[in-house]
Amino acid sequence: RAGPRRDTLAMASSREREPALVNCLMLVRWPQRREMVQAAVASFVAQDHPTRTLTVVNDGAPCALSAAFFGCGVGGRVLQMPSPATLGEKRNAGVAAVPEAAYSASFDDDDVSLPERLSANLRAMRSRRPPAAFLSASRKYIAIGAIDNIVGFELGRCYGAGMVAADVTDALRWPSQDCFEDHSLYEAVVSHAELRSRVAEADELLYVHRRHASNVTAPHRKDMWQGVLPLQLAGPSATAAPERVRAMLQRHAGVAFLVDSEAGGESTGAT
């Protein structure tokens, strides 16, 4: 019987390397939310997991990762898609752009992640037997307005700090939806005969979600504070989070990581 294709073997070998390569997906419609994007990219740059790459999937005006971004010693690319593209289509394109990645992780343009997010996610997934293939969070910080205005935290399954193994994206695709596509993928995973036993939920507070006018649900439009619990209930590390986020962003204040580009297309650097 014919053996596996050589490129499949090479991809499998690449995925098994340590530390694991994580493909971080950021979906944008440039130049919308330009300032939010810079903060989100800054939190990618600050991650302590060494092998990571940023894939920006854009269906807006042409943009590119800047020299300042690559000067931080990280790698990435911009994929230009026809407009409009759904969030699900963007996620599928972003995963396909880095087939050697062992995991993909969401880096939404209106969130920021604490530096230990990726490494903590990987530990949580790999500590299980069998290793988890789909990880979400049970808690997230909530900021209202400015990203460093962390007013509390929220309970409930959160996908913004999630991580998905290549086993999932080899078997399933994000549906072509413009909202709740992450929840739909979760539903597909828990219905999958081989993957449903490999779903996990982490309790660590690892990222900040910013509520703003264009991303809140109908109840939050009436009350931005709905469901927000005091930081003190989550302990000393939570009360220190606002200062940690401010310090992280201050290190990159005024730096443009994603910039306008006449050509658009793909930008690459070291992973």
Side-chain angles (χ1 to χ4, degrees), residues 123-203:
R123 282 195 302 272
M125 296 182 79
R126 292 178 158 191
S127 65
R128 294 172 61 93
R129 292 293 177 269
F134 186 100
L135 180 77
S136 57
S138 62
R139 301 187 297 170
K140 61 186 173 187
Y141 291 112
I142 296 296
I144 295 178
I147 194 64
D148 61 351
N149 183 34
I150 299 173
V151 296
F153 70 100
E154 183 180 31
L155 293 171
R157 188 176 290 275
C158 313
Y159 304 99
M163 189 174 283
V164 180
D167 290 351
V168 171
T169 50
D170 285 346
L172 300 168
R173 291 173 62 81
W174 271 278
S176 182
Q177 298 171 206
D178 222 3
C179 61
F180 307 124
E181 81 292 345
D182 43 14
H183 178 74
S184 294
L185 181 67
Y186 165 77
E187 292 291 339
V189 172
V190 297
S191 301
H192 191 280
E194 296 177 5
L195 297 172
R196 61 188 176 198
S197 63
R198 298 176 60 193
V199 175
E201 192 170 6
D203 189 52

Side-chain angles (χ1 to χ4, degrees), residues 26 37 54 86 102-103 111 165 176-177 191 195 199-200 216 225 254 270:
M26 183 174 296
V37 168
L54 181 66
T86 67
Y103 298 88
D111 296 341
S176 182
Q177 298 171 206
S191 301
L195 297 172
V199 175
V216 294
W225 287 77

Side-chain angles (χ1 to χ4, degrees), residues 53-245:
T53 188
L54 181 66
T55 300
V56 179
V57 187
N58 173 43
D59 66 339
C63 60
L65 290 163
S66 67
F69 173 84
F70 293 114
C72 294
V74 290
R77 65 207 44 76
V78 174
L79 300 182
Q80 189 74 34
M81 294 190 68
S83 182
T86 67
L87 296 180
E89 290 167 343
K90 287 180 173 182
R91 292 196 191 280
N92 290 324
V95 167
V98 190
E100 68 273 23
Y103 298 88
S104 58
S106 298
F107 266 72
D108 291 348
D109 62 359
D110 50 5
D111 296 341
V112 298
S113 295
L114 294 177
E116 65 272 22
R117 180 200 145 192
L118 293 180
S119 55
N121 281 169
L122 283 169
R123 282 195 302 272
M125 296 182 79
R126 292 178 158 191
S127 65
R128 294 172 61 93
R129 292 293 177 269
F134 186 100
L135 180 77
S136 57
S138 62
R139 301 187 297 170
K140 61 186 173 187
Y141 291 112
I142 296 296
I144 295 178
I147 194 64
D148 61 351
N149 183 34
I150 299 173
V151 296
F153 70 100
E154 183 180 31
L155 293 171
R157 188 176 290 275
C158 313
Y159 304 99
M163 189 174 283
V164 180
D167 290 351
V168 171
T169 50
D170 285 346
L172 300 168
R173 291 173 62 81
W174 271 278
S176 182
Q177 298 171 206
D178 222 3
C179 61
F180 307 124
E181 81 292 345
D182 43 14
H183 178 74
S184 294
L185 181 67
Y186 165 77
E187 292 291 339
V189 172
V190 297
S191 301
H192 191 280
E194 296 177 5
L195 297 172
R196 61 188 176 198
S197 63
R198 298 176 60 193
V199 175
E201 192 170 6
D203 189 52
E204 293 181 80
L205 281 160
L206 295 171
Y207 82 115
V208 185
H209 174 67
R210 181 189 335 220
R211 288 184 182 173
H212 53 91
S214 62
N215 78 341
V216 294
T217 59
H220 293 154
R221 293 190 191 104
K222 296 179 181 178
D223 180 8
M224 284 273 195
W225 287 77
Q226 186 180 73
V228 177
L229 299 170
L231 288 175
Q232 290 79 359
L233 293 179
S237 61
T239 57
E243 186 53 42
R244 290 188 66 200
V245 170

